[in-house]
Amino acid sequence: QVELVESGGGSVHTGGSLRLSCANSDTPYASYCMGWFRQVPGKEREGVAAISSDGRTNYANSVKGRFTISRVSANNTLFLQMNSLTVEDSAMYYCQANWPGPCTVAVGAHGRGRWGQGTQVSVSS
């Protein structure tokens, strides 16, 4: 049973930075897509960033130029570097791995892959 565990969330002020991590218990060099998604209570889950096994990335327009997704293939660890955070970035952030279909945030947001439990990001002005 593959397990995903997110970490790195916290509380920052507007303009601050956080780096999220997602530890993946699967065998090394997994050949599937992974991504970050977020959800605010009462709103639909939205895609943030996705990355394929060969490093191709896909971002939501709202985070382009501020967030960077990366992965370490040797242990399937996923990262999300978040800079210039705004109040609108506050949400629970989830890691997902291996959803069916294209490796895009739009598809992954409704994906049926393996999900982590989430890590909370709170940005205050």
Side-chain angles (χ1 to χ4, degrees), residues 21-33:
S21 299
C22 173
N24 183 341
S25 66
D26 205 350
T27 55
Y29 302 101
S31 60
Y32 48 63
C33 183

Side-chain angles (χ1 to χ4, degrees), residues 34-37 47-51 58-60 63 67-69 80 99 105:
M34 297 182 69
W36 290 98
F37 302 84
V48 176
I51 186 167
N58 179 252
Y59 293 94
V63 306
F67 291 12
T68 302
I69 189 171
L80 185 68
W99 63 85
V105 293

Side-chain angles (χ1 to χ4, degrees), residues 21-78:
S21 299
C22 173
N24 183 341
S25 66
D26 205 350
T27 55
Y29 302 101
S31 60
Y32 48 63
C33 183
M34 297 182 69
W36 290 98
F37 302 84
R38 64 188 182 188
Q39 189 167 23
V40 175
K43 293 189 176 181
E44 283 194 7
R45 184 169 58 208
E46 64 171 336
V48 176
I51 186 167
S52 66
S53 58
D54 61 359
R56 288 171 292 165
T57 58
N58 179 252
Y59 293 94
N61 288 333
S62 60
V63 306
K64 282 181 181 177
R66 300 188 299 121
F67 291 12
T68 302
I69 189 171
S70 60
R71 65 190 286 173
V72 175
S73 296
N75 57 15
N76 302 316
T77 302
L78 186 69

Side-chain angles (χ1 to χ4, degrees), residues 97-112:
N98 198 21
W99 63 85
C103 189
T104 65
V105 293
V107 172
H110 306 285
R112 297 183 178 182

